């Protein structure tokens, strides 16, 4: 069931609200940026995400084919979400579940995790090893 969560960066400059069904799954990935930033995310359509404040506090980082905007707070460096278009052209937000405020840890424990092997541009199967991600 979708639930509305509030989330923020560490210093609180960036605040958002997102409607997420954690039971539908979260994801981790072994690509260079997800690995370095320990990303654990849940993807939602852009219509289920509302930036409440801090638009001016957000920097934008892109690399590779520049498909995804990796947003981060200029003050505290925390990355509350990334944004981009999915394969069908729909705008999405990939929300860091670790930036959700007041989320019951049990909800995170119970959330299924899907692993992407984007280090090898492989969307079809998870990486052989995931314990370090
Ligand atoms: Zn911040």
């Amino acid at each position: 069931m979708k639930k509305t969560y509030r989330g923020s960066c560490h210093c609180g400059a960036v605040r958002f609200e997102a409607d997420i069904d954690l039971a539908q799954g979260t994801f981790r990935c072994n690509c260079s940026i997800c690995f370095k930033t320990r990303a654990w995310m849940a993807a939602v359509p852009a219509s289920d995400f509302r930036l409440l404040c801090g638009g001016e506090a957000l920097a934008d980082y892109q690399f590779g084919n520049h498909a995804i905007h990796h947003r981060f707070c200029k003050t505290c460096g925390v990355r509350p979400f990334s944004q981009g278009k999915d394969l069908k052209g729909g705008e999405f937000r990939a929300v860091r579940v670790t930036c959700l405020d007041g989320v019951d840890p049990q909800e995170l424990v119970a959330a299924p995790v899907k692993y992407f092997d984007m280090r090898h541009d492989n969307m079809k199967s998870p990486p052989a090893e995931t314990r370090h991600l």
Side-chain angles (χ1 to χ4, degrees), residues 49-107:
F49 179 92
R50 296 166 295 282
L51 186 63
L52 302 177
C53 68
E56 72 295 334
L58 281 167
D60 184 15
Y61 176 65
Q62 292 187 281
F63 71 101
N65 61 9
H66 288 225
I68 311 284
H69 296 267
H70 302 275
R71 311 300 303 271
F72 64 96
C73 173
K74 292 177 200 168
T75 300
C76 67
V78 165
R79 307 170 162 270
F81 64 96
S82 299
Q83 62 192 86
K85 284 186 170 46
D86 62 28
L87 295 174
K88 292 173 188 153
E91 272 284 335
F92 72 85
R93 302 288 180 268
V95 177
R96 303 262 174 158
V97 298
T98 47
C99 286
L100 300 178
D101 294 314
V103 62
D104 181 345
Q106 283 307 318
E107 288 180 59

Side-chain angles (χ1 to χ4, degrees), residues 9-12 73 76:
C9 65
H10 192 265
C11 72
C73 173
C76 67

Side-chain angles (χ1 to χ4, degrees), residues 20-22 24-31 33-34 38-44 68 70 81-83 92-98 108 111-118 123 127 133:
I20 305 172
D21 182 355
L22 287 172
Q24 288 300 307
T26 62
F27 68 92
R28 304 189 81 142
C29 170
N30 64 358
C31 83
I33 190 148
C34 285
R38 314 300 291 164
W40 184 16
M41 296 180 281
V44 297
I68 311 284
H70 302 275
F81 64 96
S82 299
Q83 62 192 86
F92 72 85
R93 302 288 180 268
V95 177
R96 303 262 174 158
V97 298
T98 47
L108 296 179
V113 182
K114 188 172 181 182
Y115 290 90
F116 292 120
D117 186 15
M118 293 313 288
M123 282 291 281
L133 297 177

